[in-house]
Amino acid sequence: MKKYYSIAFAFSILLFSCAAAEDSNKPIISKQINPKMMNTITDTATFGEGCFWCTEAFFQRLKGVKEVISGYGGGFIENPTYEQVCDKNTGHIELARIVYDPKVISYDELLEVFWKTHDPTTMDQQGNDIGPQYRSAIFYHNLEQKQKAEKYKAELDKSGAWSKPIVTIIEPFKNFYPAENYHQNYYNNNQNQGYCRFVIAPKLEKFQKVFKDKLKKQ
């Protein structure tokens, strides 16, 4: 099996972190279903692969993905704020809720993107982003998702794609709270911001080369 994309993603020490100071006094994004999707049969995947700004930017660009919402999940308090999650006392992980059309893109294909766009062997860390909120995680919504995620993880570990064992947690979906509005569509809205320029942009360039056949038309 070929070396996976996360290996090619290896960078020198990054100078920027996702946990940059932001104005948190922003309204929470609406939790209502997007009316544009009401007549489309969709499914949902919930992934955590470090900073949700990166995760969102990857999955937004895939054909068949209807919506990506950045948020917090897996924790034990309701409606946490960014500051509470960053304080590492809520049990929440930064997640992306991915709503997709299974007739266009499969859960297997989403899993492939998931594994290839982050390092699943580092516990609570992606680059300079360190903390339990950056844990590699798959929250499955049904038995089929659980079986596929566990099979993929086992096969990757057996293949030796990484020199260290995969530490990604695979757990049943528990909860999801959309992050503050300024986190949504973050890369697209803030491409000149330092983290976007020096961390997300290089990753996104590699991602677009690897997954060029799966990308939406510009």
Side-chain angles (χ1 to χ4, degrees):
M1 185 177 293
K2 294 181 180 179
K3 294 294 183 182
Y4 274 72
Y5 184 44
S6 59
I7 300 173
F9 263 3
F11 288 95
S12 57
I13 298 175
L14 301 176
L15 300 178
F16 298 90
S17 170
C18 175
E22 295 280 358
D23 177 8
S24 62
N25 297 318
K26 298 287 184 71
I28 300 298
I29 191 168
S30 169
K31 299 180 184 179
Q32 296 181 352
I33 297 174
N34 187 333
K36 294 181 180 180
M37 297 186 295
M38 292 188 69
N39 295 322
T40 303
I41 297 175
T42 61
D43 207 342
T44 302
T46 304
F47 297 147
E49 52 175 68
C51 176
F52 47 30
W53 298 342
C54 293
T55 312
E56 177 192 62
F58 297 139
F59 287 93
Q60 281 180 329
R61 285 159 171 75
L62 295 171
K63 288 185 291 188
V65 171
K66 300 295 183 179
E67 182 180 55
V68 183
I69 300 294
S70 293
Y72 318 109
F76 47 82
I77 71 168
E78 295 184 359
N79 296 311
T81 66
Y82 185 58
E83 286 71 21
Q84 287 175 315
V85 174
C86 286
D87 283 342
K88 305 175 178 60
N89 295 317
T90 70
H92 286 290
I93 300 170
E94 290 194 11
L95 299 174
R97 183 178 68 190
I98 302 153
V99 180
Y100 65 100
D101 182 349
K103 292 182 179 179
V104 179
I105 190 167
S106 67
Y107 189 70
D108 298 79
E109 290 174 299
L110 295 177
L111 281 174
E112 180 185 7
V113 174
F114 169 81
W115 294 113
K116 291 183 180 181
T117 50
H118 77 297
D119 184 349
T121 70
T122 52
M123 179 64 73
D124 300 347
Q125 179 178 358
Q126 290 296 313
N128 269 16
D129 295 326
I130 301 173
Q133 71 270 36
Y134 301 120
R135 184 166 299 176
S136 175
I138 297 172
F139 288 101
Y140 57 84
H141 293 261
N142 53 53
L143 180 59
E144 183 181 20
Q145 287 188 358
K146 176 179 185 289
Q147 292 172 337
K148 288 183 175 182
E150 290 179 342
K151 180 182 178 181
Y152 210 143
K153 178 180 177 180
E155 289 179 348
L156 284 173
D157 258 336
K158 185 178 179 180
S159 76
W162 290 277
S163 60
K164 297 181 293 184
I166 295 172
V167 296
T168 303
I169 62 170
I170 300 175
E171 296 181 357
F173 177 81
K174 180 179 180 182
N175 50 39
F176 180 87
Y177 302 97
E180 293 83 351
N181 277 353
Y182 69 83
H183 289 299
Q184 309 302 331
N185 204 36
Y186 191 86
Y187 175 77
N188 295 332
N189 291 336
N190 300 276
Q191 294 188 31
N192 290 324
Q193 189 257 15
Y195 189 89
C196 292
R197 290 174 60 198
F198 296 104
V199 179
I200 301 179
K203 291 183 178 182
L204 196 56
E205 182 180 359
K206 293 174 184 286
F207 163 81
Q208 290 172 326
K209 290 179 180 178
V210 172
F211 292 102
K212 61 183 179 181
D213 294 334
K214 298 183 186 299
L215 299 180
K216 296 173 180 175
K217 294 182 179 179
Q218 297 295 325

